Amino acid sequence: MEQAKLLTAYRSMRTIRNFEERMHIEFATGAVPGFVHLYVGQEACAVGVCSQLEDKDTLLGTHRGHGHALAKGANARKLLFEIFGRADGLCGGKAGSCHVHDSSVRYMGANSGVGSGAAIACGVALAAKNRGDGAVAVPLIGEGAANQGVVLEAMNLAAVWNLPVVFVFENNGYAEATGSEWAIAGGDLCGRAAAFDMPGLAIDAYDFFAVSAAAGELIARAREESRPAVLELRQKRFYGHFEGDAQTYRGDGEVDLLRRERDCLTHFSDRVVAEGWLAREDLDAIDTEVEALISGIYEEVKAAALPDESQLFANVYASAY
Ligand SMILES: Cc1ncc(C[n+]2csc(CCOP(=O)(O)OP(=O)(O)O)c2C)c(N)n1
């Protein structure tokens, strides 16, 4: 991978990490309105997938969507303002964390009815197929959401209509407090692809390079042949389901072990330095730059204006695509 792409990927993962770690701290003070679901630990999933997407492609996120939006190119300041319900947020402060949407980067939303992104992706992909511009649609779907009927219906539709959709299942170990080993018949999600005559790959997703390579293969096939595929990404989240979750369902020391041995940022840094692809100083410079960006926007957001009451009904039924 070219140096510029490596730097972009690292900056993106570092931005998500710092954005979310600071969110964890701020939430505990009561400063953050509503619920938030943090993406810490899973950065290589969205960033690895997005490393293979083009501007014309659409990503569909979930309630755990801050990292999804940032990976697709959403502006971190505007995303933060949105989560804090401020007028200058991506959706005018009316969507909040769980319904963020940014059509300017073709991020078609954190769709909180879990699994719904799979169906919306079929519509996006059908439109792309009709336009003939080679764009693909990629819904990110939690492993809990994978058991929603709508996801299986969407997979079937994508197969019979030959739609360019890559269904990406983020298997982060838990759906709320339910361990994935209790809830996934057959033990894996990528195996379901065969029933719909699609290729399916499962990847150990703390490794950015493995995610990017697998996503690249499946996205290229979807783009060139207008056919769907399945990618299962396995990497546990580092925080609870939502902020405030007591996580009594976790094993002792589980998170410490994850942070020590399965941190995608550490893995990425060690690999690029060992291979001589980037220098440690390049990464340090990004760390400094991102730290300044994140602390600056968190300082700014607290004094930022709320939406005006006159805007209450504006854009409620906007059509962005
Ligand atoms: C259709 C629907 N059913 C239930 C919920 C409540 N709910 C919100 S998040 C969640 C768990 C989702 O788990 P998973 O899909 O694995 O995603 P993760 O939170 O692990 O990222 C549930 C059941 C919902 N939002 N939508």
Side-chain angles (χ1 to χ4, degrees):
M1 195 176 280
E2 311 150 24
Q3 273 200 345
K5 281 198 154 189
L6 291 172
L7 291 168
T8 300
Y10 184 75
R11 182 177 289 103
S12 187
M13 291 199 290
R14 173 57 67 199
T15 303
I16 297 169
R17 175 65 58 90
N18 288 20
F19 187 97
E20 296 287 66
E21 290 286 11
R22 179 71 182 265
M23 184 72 69
H24 174 73
I25 293 167
E26 295 290 339
F27 194 90
T29 71
V32 185
F35 272 115
V36 289
H37 308 79
L38 302 184
Y39 198 59
V40 178
Q42 295 177 245
E43 294 87 347
C45 299
V47 175
V49 168
C50 288
S51 70
Q52 299 290 346
L53 293 180
E54 299 177 13
D55 291 347
K56 67 186 175 190
D57 299 327
T58 299
L59 188 75
L60 299 101
T62 71
H63 56 283
R64 198 173 299 289
H66 307 163
H68 301 158
L70 290 169
K72 190 64 170 72
N75 177 283
R77 176 181 174 279
K78 283 186 146 309
L79 174 65
L80 186 68
F81 276 46
E82 186 56 46
I83 295 165
F84 275 71
R86 307 296 157 149
D88 206 16
L90 283 172
C91 308
K94 290 192 281 188
S97 168
C98 283
H99 298 95
V100 167
H101 183 106
D102 186 359
S103 53
S104 73
V105 295
R106 298 197 74 86
Y107 175 62
M108 209 161 168
N111 300 294
S112 286
V114 302
S116 57
I120 301 168
C122 288
V124 173
L126 180 61
K129 189 175 174 178
N130 287 339
R131 285 194 307 271
D133 63 6
V136 301
V138 177
L140 299 166
I141 306 158
E143 89 289 344
N147 293 324
Q148 286 286 115
V150 64
V151 175
L152 300 167
E153 291 172 42
M155 289 169 77
N156 188 62
L157 195 67
V160 295
W161 283 0
N162 292 322
L163 299 177
V165 181
V166 178
F167 297 92
V168 175
F169 293 108
E170 291 194 280
N171 186 346
N172 67 1
Y174 305 97
E176 299 200 350
T178 305
S180 53
E181 66 277 14
W182 289 70
I184 299 175
D188 69 36
L189 292 166
C190 74
R192 295 183 186 178
F196 299 97
D197 194 24
M198 301 178 195
L201 295 172
I203 297 297
D204 202 355
Y206 78 108
D207 179 352
F208 164 84
F209 297 98
V211 176
S212 180
E217 183 183 328
L218 298 177
I219 289 167
R221 177 183 178 277
R223 203 186 294 293
E224 284 151 24
E225 299 175 23
S226 190
R227 300 266 302 281
V230 167
L231 177 61
E232 178 178 351
L233 301 178
R234 297 177 182 156
Q235 167 67 355
K236 284 187 175 166
R237 56 172 154 78
F238 288 5
Y239 282 112
H241 172 63
F242 57 91
E243 283 307 273
D245 177 359
Q247 300 185 71
T248 49
Y249 50 88
R250 291 255 206 200
D252 283 343
E254 182 183 314
V255 176
D256 290 342
L257 192 66
L258 287 170
R259 285 198 181 263
R260 234 180 12 255
E261 296 190 359
R262 293 184 57 88
D263 185 323
C264 57
L265 278 149
T266 310
H267 181 267
F268 182 100
S269 312
D270 290 349
R271 173 102 194 261
V272 293
V273 172
E275 302 271 6
W277 296 334
L278 293 176
R280 185 67 67 180
E281 297 74 50
D282 298 329
L283 305 174
D284 292 345
I286 290 176
D287 290 350
T288 307
E289 173 202 318
V290 170
E291 182 53 37
L293 168 82
I294 298 298
S295 47
I297 62 177
Y298 269 92
E299 290 318 310
E300 203 191 337
V301 72
K302 292 175 192 165
L306 292 166
D308 191 81
E309 224 178 291
S310 65
Q311 294 303 301
L312 191 59
F313 295 109
N315 297 324
V316 172
Y317 293 108
S319 153
Y321 282 84

